[in-house]
Amino acid sequence: MRVYRHPVVIVLLSVLVIGACKATKSPSSKTQSSGPPAPMEYTAAREGLPKSRIWKSQIAFGDINNDGCADLGAVSRLADGPFIFKGDCKGDWTDASAGLPRESYCGGGMSFGDANGDGKTDVAIADHCKGVFVYFGDGTGNWRNASAGLPTVGSEDVDFGDFNKDGCLDVAIVAASEEGVRAFKGDCKGVWKESSKGLSQTEWGNSVVIRDVDADGNMDVIAAYSAGPRVWLGDGKGGWKEASEGMPAPDIHGLYWGIAVGDVNGDGKLDVASGAAIPGAEVFIQEAGPTGPRWRKASEGIIPMNALGVALGDLNNDGKTDLVVAGKANLEEIGGVYGVFPFLGDGTGNWKLVDNTGLPTDGRERTWGANVADINNDGVLDIGVAFGDVLAPTWRSGAAKKAADQKKEEKDKDDAQKKKKSNPDRGMFGAIEVWKGTLSTK
């Protein structure tokens, strides 16, 4: 289980966000802004993590060697596959990927759990092009394929959970194209059998988690699905029933990216957060409906954004659930305008963006997954985010226009500037970044 846990579509969403939100005035997107000290501060903790490749991936935290320190996994795009990194509880990381494929993957997601009941952490990996795989771990960072019966259709994300109560971990996946949301029962031996009756097995999605949403003792599936955030209740036997009343159902599919689950209002019921291209991150509080859960939007205070990754957790240790969003607040440009935005929750579904935390709110490549974990065991949650794009983070779509407006009289120089800016450097730009959190004493 996750601890705390179509290229064309991406391009269209970028254009859609710019066009639809051009009239919206966005807040400043600087890395640091003037104002009072934040209640929490973040410093980089990424020594040993990759500083290149496109990390089109959800971020997974787990403990692969049972040393009490959080480890991290993610999947690269158009590079050399999935990677796992051991943490040392200080913010340094070491590659622990022996046995994982070293071939071109397309990006996806990852989840950690003990799938064969031997007391050692295993990993499930979803890839946009190749499908879903499970690897048994030996507790030291070596991995052995155990994927019989899992689909080879492209998948964006995967999560572990025991949804049929047999003591063996199962998996839920969300497909990258037209296979929808699916579930597979595990037998603790590396053989998997589909159990998807009641799930939406068409279209695609971006992120999935397995949790007991309605507290009935049965695991449920929650996904950022093409039609919007969706919830399916499990019956404890491998059957599913949708329970998404109150969730958005936009005419345009594919707007929602990233999913997170947590108790936002302290009522003991799990609530849902999702990223969205328009209008930004959204939170939905669970309420009792006539036949099961229904969902009430509770996003007051979340600024307009292109939100692509979300995580829930108590960032400032006040007993209330907070929200981390990876995305961009600059809705008029593409390129290196992405960052990480923490919102403090008030326990009722209202949110406040916190500035001056040390997190970058601009200047990064496109964001993908976000997650939180206490990587140094100091009692304060830390943040991990995956970045990656074919555009260098130094390029911004508005840069050429600004230069032309400032130097209209220098036609020849201006033309050269436009040409340079209209043909940005392309390659594989990205990184996995982690920041350690501390509570401010200021």
Side-chain angles (χ1 to χ4, degrees), residues 95-118:
D95 187 10
S97 308
L100 297 183
R102 281 297 150 260
E103 57 189 88
S104 183
Y105 268 47
C106 297
M110 194 177 288
S111 181
F112 291 112
D114 183 2
N116 59 350
D118 66 351

Side-chain angles (χ1 to χ4, degrees), residues 21 33 73 134 151 193 202 211 232 257 333 338 405 412 435:
C21 301
S33 60
V134 169
K193 183 177 180 181
T202 60
R211 295 285 295 275
W232 292 269
W257 292 72
E333 293 185 278
Y338 292 86
D405 289 342
D412 291 342
W435 295 269

Side-chain angles (χ1 to χ4, degrees), residues 42-130:
Y42 294 93
T43 56
R46 56 177 295 190
E47 187 65 36
L49 292 177
K51 299 178 181 179
S52 63
R53 303 184 186 90
I54 298 172
W55 294 95
K56 177 186 176 291
S57 181
Q58 304 298 328
I59 291 283
F61 284 113
D63 185 0
I64 67 167
N65 54 351
N66 292 329
D67 66 349
C69 299
D71 308 312
L72 181 153
V75 185
S76 65
R77 175 172 173 78
L78 304 178
D80 45 2
F83 281 82
I84 294 170
F85 301 91
K86 290 189 292 188
D88 67 353
C89 281
K90 299 177 183 178
D92 297 332
W93 308 86
T94 304
D95 187 10
S97 308
L100 297 183
R102 281 297 150 260
E103 57 189 88
S104 183
Y105 268 47
C106 297
M110 194 177 288
S111 181
F112 291 112
D114 183 2
N116 59 350
D118 66 351
K120 299 171 183 176
T121 297
D122 309 309
V123 64
I125 299 169
D127 179 64
H128 178 95
C129 295
K130 296 182 180 295

